Amino acid sequence: MHRFGNSKDMEYRMMIDLLDNSIPLTLDIYTILFRSGYFEGYLEGVVRIWVLFQRLRRHNYNKAPLMFLSDVFYWKLNNHPMANILKNHLPIFNDYFVENFHSSIRSQTAESNTALQIIQKAKIFDVEKNSNLSFKEAFVNSRNPVISQVRLNYLEKKVSLFLFSIFDEIFHNLGNTNQVNNNKYPSFALPTFKINVDIKALPLAWNTKSKPSDDKDKFCDAEKCLLSNNNNIDLPNNNVILICGHGFHKECLTLYNGNCNHLSSEIKKKY
């Protein structure tokens, strides 16, 4: 990745955001943060997942995180005992079993089923799930989900080669990503992937009013840059690009306590 330097290329930043932010967040928030009882990490994860839902405009999903955060902040502000109960016993508040049962019912029912038919199938499914299935298991080949270490090593190398080829092509397409329309939510042509994507697929910086500067002679996105020499080439070791996609000089970033002021402003407006 060293050859990309401090590039703000949209395709490159989109892939970095996907691999370093979105995918780890969605995989870890339940399996690691929640189930381990790491409350502070889970709380931060809920904030981040809400921001992700906002960016993707998933209006059916962005309400639940806000409701959870509102409850937690209210309990903390009023010294409600529920705050400590939740913090100390987080894994107990698990709705996985409800969601899993709901998903199983959906997979075994059709839109044409009546309410009574769905209830009946749910009862049958519940009995089958909790009863002795030794007879059924004797005639059904259960799939072994365990993957051998050899297989994992093979998949790791295969994915590494795939990502290497993707980033190599992105490198040769630096600066060639173009906006294709002026809609409220514009689309962009990604030369490496040969597709047009909605702006929501790009990192958060491109979903704010203050887009990252694409001027080769201007690197820092701070509103009032502290350095007179606002140049990416002359100060490569003094430049920082945040996961959102905005770039700052280290001195300028300290003005905002290490946070992106553009993103903070957008979140405050939405919240």
Side-chain angles (χ1 to χ4, degrees), residues 59-101:
H59 302 300
N60 293 332
Y61 293 91
N62 64 359
K63 306 298 188 301
L66 281 182
M67 292 169 61
F68 174 80
L69 293 171
S70 177
D71 288 342
V72 171
F73 296 150
Y74 174 82
W75 292 331
K76 284 187 174 182
L77 185 64
N78 292 276
N79 295 318
H80 195 284
M82 192 64 193
N84 286 329
I85 293 175
L86 184 64
K87 180 178 180 179
N88 298 326
H89 306 282
L90 179 63
I92 294 177
F93 298 88
N94 192 345
D95 62 353
Y96 166 77
F97 304 101
V98 176
E99 294 292 337
N100 180 263
F101 191 79

Short mmCIF file of all heavy atoms in Angstrom, two decimals, residues 59-101:
data_model
loop_
_atom_site.label_atom_id
_atom_site.label_comp_id
_atom_site.label_asym_id
_atom_site.label_seq_id
_atom_site.Cartn_x
_atom_site.Cartn_y
_atom_site.Cartn_z
N HIS A 59 -33.11 3.29 5.91
CA HIS A 59 -34.02 3.94 6.85
C HIS A 59 -34.79 2.94 7.71
O HIS A 59 -35.34 3.31 8.74
CB HIS A 59 -34.99 4.83 6.08
CG HIS A 59 -34.31 5.88 5.25
ND1 HIS A 59 -33.48 6.83 5.81
CD2 HIS A 59 -34.29 6.11 3.91
CE1 HIS A 59 -33.00 7.61 4.86
NE2 HIS A 59 -33.47 7.20 3.70
N ASN A 60 -34.84 1.69 7.30
CA ASN A 60 -35.51 0.68 8.11
C ASN A 60 -34.63 0.17 9.24
O ASN A 60 -35.10 -0.54 10.13
CB ASN A 60 -35.95 -0.50 7.24
CG ASN A 60 -37.04 -0.12 6.26
OD1 ASN A 60 -37.82 0.79 6.52
ND2 ASN A 60 -37.08 -0.79 5.12
N TYR A 61 -33.34 0.50 9.19
CA TYR A 61 -32.40 -0.03 10.18
C TYR A 61 -31.77 1.04 11.06
O TYR A 61 -31.20 0.71 12.10
CB TYR A 61 -31.28 -0.80 9.47
CG TYR A 61 -31.73 -2.06 8.79
CD1 TYR A 61 -32.14 -2.06 7.46
CD2 TYR A 61 -31.75 -3.27 9.47
CE1 TYR A 61 -32.56 -3.22 6.83
CE2 TYR A 61 -32.17 -4.44 8.86
CZ TYR A 61 -32.57 -4.41 7.53
OH TYR A 61 -33.00 -5.56 6.92
N ASN A 62 -31.83 2.30 10.65
CA ASN A 62 -31.09 3.31 11.40
C ASN A 62 -31.82 3.80 12.64
O ASN A 62 -31.27 4.59 13.41
CB ASN A 62 -30.76 4.51 10.49
CG ASN A 62 -31.99 5.24 10.00
OD1 ASN A 62 -33.12 4.84 10.31
ND2 ASN A 62 -31.80 6.29 9.22
N LYS A 63 -33.05 3.34 12.87
CA LYS A 63 -33.79 3.79 14.05
C LYS A 63 -33.41 3.00 15.30
O LYS A 63 -33.29 3.56 16.39
CB LYS A 63 -35.30 3.64 13.81
CG LYS A 63 -35.82 4.33 12.55
CD LYS A 63 -35.61 5.82 12.58
CE LYS A 63 -36.29 6.50 11.40
NZ LYS A 63 -35.81 6.05 10.09
N ALA A 64 -33.23 1.69 15.17
CA ALA A 64 -32.94 0.84 16.33
C ALA A 64 -31.66 1.26 17.07
O ALA A 64 -31.67 1.34 18.30
CB ALA A 64 -32.86 -0.63 15.90
N PRO A 65 -30.55 1.54 16.36
CA PRO A 65 -29.36 2.00 17.09
C PRO A 65 -29.60 3.29 17.86
O PRO A 65 -29.11 3.45 18.98
CB PRO A 65 -28.32 2.21 15.97
CG PRO A 65 -28.77 1.32 14.87
CD PRO A 65 -30.26 1.35 14.93
N LEU A 66 -30.37 4.22 17.27
CA LEU A 66 -30.65 5.48 17.96
C LEU A 66 -31.50 5.25 19.21
O LEU A 66 -31.29 5.89 20.25
CB LEU A 66 -31.37 6.45 17.03
CG LEU A 66 -30.52 7.20 16.00
CD1 LEU A 66 -31.38 8.15 15.20
CD2 LEU A 66 -29.39 7.96 16.68
N MET A 67 -32.44 4.33 19.13
CA MET A 67 -33.27 4.01 20.29
C MET A 67 -32.41 3.43 21.41
O MET A 67 -32.57 3.79 22.58
CB MET A 67 -34.37 3.02 19.89
CG MET A 67 -35.41 3.60 18.94
SD MET A 67 -36.51 2.35 18.25
CE MET A 67 -37.26 1.70 19.74
N PHE A 68 -31.51 2.54 21.04
CA PHE A 68 -30.62 1.94 22.04
C PHE A 68 -29.74 3.00 22.69
O PHE A 68 -29.60 3.06 23.91
CB PHE A 68 -29.76 0.86 21.38
CG PHE A 68 -28.71 0.28 22.28
CD1 PHE A 68 -29.03 -0.68 23.22
CD2 PHE A 68 -27.39 0.71 22.19
CE1 PHE A 68 -28.06 -1.21 24.06
CE2 PHE A 68 -26.42 0.18 23.02
CZ PHE A 68 -26.75 -0.78 23.96
N LEU A 69 -29.13 3.85 21.86
CA LEU A 69 -28.25 4.90 22.39
C LEU A 69 -29.02 5.88 23.26
O LEU A 69 -28.52 6.32 24.30
CB LEU A 69 -27.58 5.64 21.23
CG LEU A 69 -26.58 4.83 20.39
CD1 LEU A 69 -26.16 5.61 19.16
CD2 LEU A 69 -25.37 4.44 21.22
N SER A 70 -30.24 6.21 22.85
CA SER A 70 -31.06 7.13 23.64
C SER A 70 -31.35 6.56 25.02
O SER A 70 -31.26 7.26 26.03
CB SER A 70 -32.37 7.42 22.89
OG SER A 70 -33.21 8.25 23.66
N ASP A 71 -31.68 5.27 25.06
CA ASP A 71 -31.95 4.61 26.35
C ASP A 71 -30.71 4.61 27.24
O ASP A 71 -30.78 4.94 28.43
CB ASP A 71 -32.42 3.18 26.12
CG ASP A 71 -33.83 3.11 25.55
OD1 ASP A 71 -34.55 4.13 25.64
OD2 ASP A 71 -34.20 2.06 25.01
N VAL A 72 -29.58 4.24 26.65
CA VAL A 72 -28.34 4.15 27.42
C VAL A 72 -27.95 5.52 27.98
O VAL A 72 -27.61 5.64 29.17
CB VAL A 72 -27.19 3.59 26.55
CG1 VAL A 72 -25.85 3.71 27.28
CG2 VAL A 72 -27.45 2.14 26.20
N PHE A 73 -27.99 6.55 27.15
CA PHE A 73 -27.61 7.89 27.62
C PHE A 73 -28.59 8.41 28.67
O PHE A 73 -28.19 9.10 29.61
CB PHE A 73 -27.54 8.85 26.43
CG PHE A 73 -26.47 8.50 25.44
CD1 PHE A 73 -26.62 8.80 24.09
CD2 PHE A 73 -25.31 7.85 25.84
CE1 PHE A 73 -25.62 8.47 23.17
CE2 PHE A 73 -24.31 7.52 24.94
CZ PHE A 73 -24.47 7.83 23.60
N TYR A 74 -29.86 8.08 28.52
CA TYR A 74 -30.86 8.50 29.50
C TYR A 74 -30.60 7.83 30.85
O TYR A 74 -30.65 8.47 31.91
CB TYR A 74 -32.26 8.16 29.01
CG TYR A 74 -33.35 8.43 30.03
CD1 TYR A 74 -33.87 9.72 30.21
CD2 TYR A 74 -33.85 7.40 30.83
CE1 TYR A 74 -34.85 9.97 31.15
CE2 TYR A 74 -34.82 7.64 31.78
CZ TYR A 74 -35.32 8.93 31.93
OH TYR A 74 -36.28 9.17 32.88
N TRP A 75 -30.33 6.52 30.81
CA TRP A 75 -30.05 5.79 32.05
C TRP A 75 -28.80 6.32 32.74
O TRP A 75 -28.76 6.46 33.96
CB TRP A 75 -29.90 4.30 31.75
CG TRP A 75 -31.18 3.64 31.31
CD1 TRP A 75 -32.44 4.00 31.66
CD2 TRP A 75 -31.31 2.52 30.43
NE1 TRP A 75 -33.36 3.18 31.06
CE2 TRP A 75 -32.70 2.26 30.30
CE3 TRP A 75 -30.41 1.72 29.74
CZ2 TRP A 75 -33.19 1.22 29.51
CZ3 TRP A 75 -30.89 0.68 28.95
CH2 TRP A 75 -32.26 0.44 28.84
N LYS A 76 -27.77 6.62 31.95
CA LYS A 76 -26.54 7.15 32.54
C LYS A 76 -26.76 8.53 33.14
O LYS A 76 -26.28 8.83 34.24
CB LYS A 76 -25.44 7.22 31.47
CG LYS A 76 -24.81 5.88 31.12
CD LYS A 76 -23.63 6.07 30.17
CE LYS A 76 -22.91 4.76 29.92
NZ LYS A 76 -21.73 4.95 29.04
N LEU A 77 -27.48 9.37 32.41
CA LEU A 77 -27.70 10.74 32.86
C LEU A 77 -28.50 10.78 34.15
O LEU A 77 -28.29 11.65 35.00
CB LEU A 77 -28.43 11.52 31.76
CG LEU A 77 -28.65 13.02 32.01
CD1 LEU A 77 -27.31 13.75 32.10
CD2 LEU A 77 -29.50 13.62 30.90
N ASN A 78 -29.41 9.83 34.32
CA ASN A 78 -30.28 9.82 35.50
C ASN A 78 -29.86 8.78 36.54
O ASN A 78 -30.64 8.49 37.46
CB ASN A 78 -31.72 9.55 35.06
CG ASN A 78 -32.31 10.69 34.25
OD1 ASN A 78 -32.80 11.67 34.79
ND2 ASN A 78 -32.23 10.57 32.92
N ASN A 79 -28.65 8.24 36.39
CA ASN A 79 -28.14 7.24 37.34
C ASN A 79 -29.13 6.10 37.55
O ASN A 79 -29.33 5.61 38.67
CB ASN A 79 -27.82 7.91 38.68
CG ASN A 79 -26.68 8.90 38.57
OD1 ASN A 79 -25.69 8.65 37.89
ND2 ASN A 79 -26.83 10.05 39.22
N HIS A 80 -29.74 5.68 36.49
CA HIS A 80 -30.70 4.58 36.55
C HIS A 80 -29.95 3.26 36.73
O HIS A 80 -28.90 3.05 36.11
CB HIS A 80 -31.54 4.55 35.27
CG HIS A 80 -32.77 3.71 35.38
ND1 HIS A 80 -32.75 2.34 35.33
CD2 HIS A 80 -34.08 4.06 35.53
CE1 HIS A 80 -33.98 1.87 35.44
NE2 HIS A 80 -34.81 2.90 35.57
N PRO A 81 -30.44 2.36 37.59
CA PRO A 81 -29.74 1.08 37.81
C PRO A 81 -29.58 0.25 36.54
O PRO A 81 -28.69 -0.59 36.44
CB PRO A 81 -30.62 0.37 38.84
CG PRO A 81 -31.95 1.06 38.78
CD PRO A 81 -31.64 2.47 38.43
N MET A 82 -30.45 0.50 35.56
CA MET A 82 -30.37 -0.26 34.32
C MET A 82 -29.05 -0.02 33.59
O MET A 82 -28.57 -0.90 32.87
CB MET A 82 -31.54 0.13 33.41
CG MET A 82 -31.73 -0.78 32.22
SD MET A 82 -32.15 -2.46 32.73
CE MET A 82 -31.92 -3.32 31.17
N ALA A 83 -28.45 1.14 33.80
CA ALA A 83 -27.19 1.47 33.13
C ALA A 83 -26.10 0.49 33.55
O ALA A 83 -25.37 -0.05 32.70
CB ALA A 83 -26.78 2.90 33.45
N ASN A 84 -25.96 0.24 34.84
CA ASN A 84 -24.94 -0.68 35.33
C ASN A 84 -25.29 -2.13 35.02
O ASN A 84 -24.40 -2.95 34.77
CB ASN A 84 -24.74 -0.50 36.84
CG ASN A 84 -23.99 0.77 37.16
OD1 ASN A 84 -23.15 1.23 36.39
ND2 ASN A 84 -24.31 1.37 38.30
N ILE A 85 -26.57 -2.45 35.06
CA ILE A 85 -26.99 -3.82 34.73
C ILE A 85 -26.61 -4.15 33.29
O ILE A 85 -26.07 -5.22 33.00
CB ILE A 85 -28.51 -3.98 34.94
CG1 ILE A 85 -28.86 -3.85 36.43
CG2 ILE A 85 -28.99 -5.33 34.40
CD1 ILE A 85 -30.35 -3.87 36.72
N LEU A 86 -26.90 -3.23 32.39
CA LEU A 86 -26.58 -3.45 30.98
C LEU A 86 -25.07 -3.52 30.77
O LEU A 86 -24.58 -4.37 30.02
CB LEU A 86 -27.17 -2.32 30.14
CG LEU A 86 -27.00 -2.43 28.62
CD1 LEU A 86 -27.74 -3.65 28.09
CD2 LEU A 86 -27.50 -1.17 27.93
N LYS A 87 -24.34 -2.65 31.44
CA LYS A 87 -22.88 -2.61 31.28
C LYS A 87 -22.23 -3.88 31.80
O LYS A 87 -21.29 -4.40 31.18
CB LYS A 87 -22.32 -1.39 32.01
CG LYS A 87 -20.81 -1.25 31.90
CD LYS A 87 -20.32 0.01 32.61
CE LYS A 87 -18.81 0.14 32.50
NZ LYS A 87 -18.32 1.37 33.17
N ASN A 88 -22.70 -4.39 32.92
CA ASN A 88 -22.07 -5.54 33.56
C ASN A 88 -22.59 -6.88 33.06
O ASN A 88 -21.96 -7.92 33.30
CB ASN A 88 -22.25 -5.45 35.07
CG ASN A 88 -21.58 -4.23 35.66
OD1 ASN A 88 -20.53 -3.79 35.19
ND2 ASN A 88 -22.19 -3.64 36.70
N HIS A 89 -23.74 -6.87 32.39
CA HIS A 89 -24.34 -8.14 31.95
C HIS A 89 -24.82 -8.03 30.50
O HIS A 89 -25.90 -8.53 30.16
CB HIS A 89 -25.51 -8.52 32.86
CG HIS A 89 -25.15 -8.57 34.31
ND1 HIS A 89 -24.46 -9.61 34.89
CD2 HIS A 89 -25.37 -7.66 35.32
CE1 HIS A 89 -24.28 -9.38 36.18
NE2 HIS A 89 -24.82 -8.20 36.47
N LEU A 90 -24.04 -7.41 29.66
CA LEU A 90 -24.45 -7.14 28.28
C LEU A 90 -24.90 -8.40 27.52
O LEU A 90 -25.95 -8.38 26.86
CB LEU A 90 -23.32 -6.44 27.53
CG LEU A 90 -23.58 -6.11 26.06
CD1 LEU A 90 -24.73 -5.12 25.93
CD2 LEU A 90 -22.32 -5.54 25.41
N PRO A 91 -24.15 -9.51 27.56
CA PRO A 91 -24.53 -10.68 26.74
C PRO A 91 -25.90 -11.27 27.08
O PRO A 91 -26.47 -12.01 26.27
CB PRO A 91 -23.42 -11.70 27.04
CG PRO A 91 -22.26 -10.87 27.49
CD PRO A 91 -22.87 -9.73 28.25
N ILE A 92 -26.42 -10.95 28.28
CA ILE A 92 -27.73 -11.49 28.66
C ILE A 92 -28.84 -10.91 27.77
O ILE A 92 -29.82 -11.59 27.45
CB ILE A 92 -28.03 -11.18 30.14
CG1 ILE A 92 -27.05 -11.93 31.04
CG2 ILE A 92 -29.47 -11.55 30.50
CD1 ILE A 92 -27.23 -11.63 32.51
N PHE A 93 -28.66 -9.66 27.35
CA PHE A 93 -29.68 -8.98 26.56
C PHE A 93 -29.52 -9.35 25.08
O PHE A 93 -29.18 -8.54 24.23
CB PHE A 93 -29.57 -7.46 26.75
CG PHE A 93 -29.79 -7.03 28.16
CD1 PHE A 93 -28.74 -6.98 29.07
CD2 PHE A 93 -31.06 -6.69 28.59
CE1 PHE A 93 -28.95 -6.59 30.38
CE2 PHE A 93 -31.28 -6.30 29.91
CZ PHE A 93 -30.23 -6.25 30.81
N ASN A 94 -29.80 -10.60 24.81
CA ASN A 94 -29.52 -11.18 23.50
C ASN A 94 -30.83 -11.54 22.80
O ASN A 94 -31.60 -12.37 23.30
CB ASN A 94 -28.66 -12.43 23.67
CG ASN A 94 -28.09 -12.92 22.36
OD1 ASN A 94 -28.53 -12.53 21.30
ND2 ASN A 94 -27.11 -13.80 22.45
N ASP A 95 -31.08 -10.93 21.66
CA ASP A 95 -32.29 -11.26 20.90
C ASP A 95 -31.97 -12.16 19.71
O ASP A 95 -32.78 -12.31 18.80
CB ASP A 95 -32.99 -9.99 20.42
CG ASP A 95 -32.12 -9.16 19.48
OD1 ASP A 95 -30.94 -9.51 19.30
OD2 ASP A 95 -32.63 -8.17 18.92
N TYR A 96 -30.79 -12.80 19.76
CA TYR A 96 -30.40 -13.68 18.65
C TYR A 96 -31.40 -14.81 18.46
O TYR A 96 -31.77 -15.16 17.34
CB TYR A 96 -29.00 -14.26 18.91
CG TYR A 96 -28.67 -15.43 18.00
CD1 TYR A 96 -28.30 -15.23 16.67
CD2 TYR A 96 -28.77 -16.75 18.47
CE1 TYR A 96 -28.02 -16.29 15.84
CE2 TYR A 96 -28.49 -17.82 17.64
CZ TYR A 96 -28.11 -17.59 16.33
OH TYR A 96 -27.84 -18.65 15.50
N PHE A 97 -31.84 -15.40 19.57
CA PHE A 97 -32.72 -16.56 19.48
C PHE A 97 -34.06 -16.19 18.85
O PHE A 97 -34.64 -16.95 18.07
CB PHE A 97 -32.92 -17.15 20.87
CG PHE A 97 -31.63 -17.51 21.55
CD1 PHE A 97 -31.09 -16.68 22.52
CD2 PHE A 97 -30.93 -18.64 21.18
CE1 PHE A 97 -29.88 -16.99 23.13
CE2 PHE A 97 -29.72 -18.97 21.78
CZ PHE A 97 -29.19 -18.14 22.77
N VAL A 98 -34.55 -15.00 19.17
CA VAL A 98 -35.79 -14.52 18.57
C VAL A 98 -35.60 -14.28 17.07
O VAL A 98 -36.41 -14.71 16.25
CB VAL A 98 -36.27 -13.22 19.25
CG1 VAL A 98 -37.51 -12.67 18.56
CG2 VAL A 98 -36.55 -13.47 20.73
N GLU A 99 -34.49 -13.61 16.73
CA GLU A 99 -34.21 -13.31 15.32
C GLU A 99 -33.97 -14.60 14.53
O GLU A 99 -34.42 -14.73 13.39
CB GLU A 99 -32.99 -12.39 15.21
CG GLU A 99 -33.19 -11.00 15.78
CD GLU A 99 -34.19 -10.19 14.98
OE1 GLU A 99 -34.38 -10.50 13.78
OE2 GLU A 99 -34.78 -9.26 15.54
N ASN A 100 -33.27 -15.54 15.14
CA ASN A 100 -32.99 -16.81 14.47
C ASN A 100 -34.26 -17.59 14.22
O ASN A 100 -34.47 -18.16 13.13
CB ASN A 100 -32.01 -17.63 15.32
CG ASN A 100 -31.67 -18.96 14.68
OD1 ASN A 100 -32.26 -19.99 15.02
ND2 ASN A 100 -30.73 -18.95 13.76
N PHE A 101 -35.14 -17.61 15.22
CA PHE A 101 -36.41 -18.32 15.07
C PHE A 101 -37.27 -17.65 14.00
O PHE A 101 -37.90 -18.32 13.17
CB PHE A 101 -37.15 -18.33 16.41
CG PHE A 101 -38.35 -19.24 16.44
CD1 PHE A 101 -38.19 -20.61 16.61
CD2 PHE A 101 -39.63 -18.73 16.30
CE1 PHE A 101 -39.30 -21.45 16.63
CE2 PHE A 101 -40.74 -19.56 16.32
CZ PHE A 101 -40.57 -20.93 16.49
#
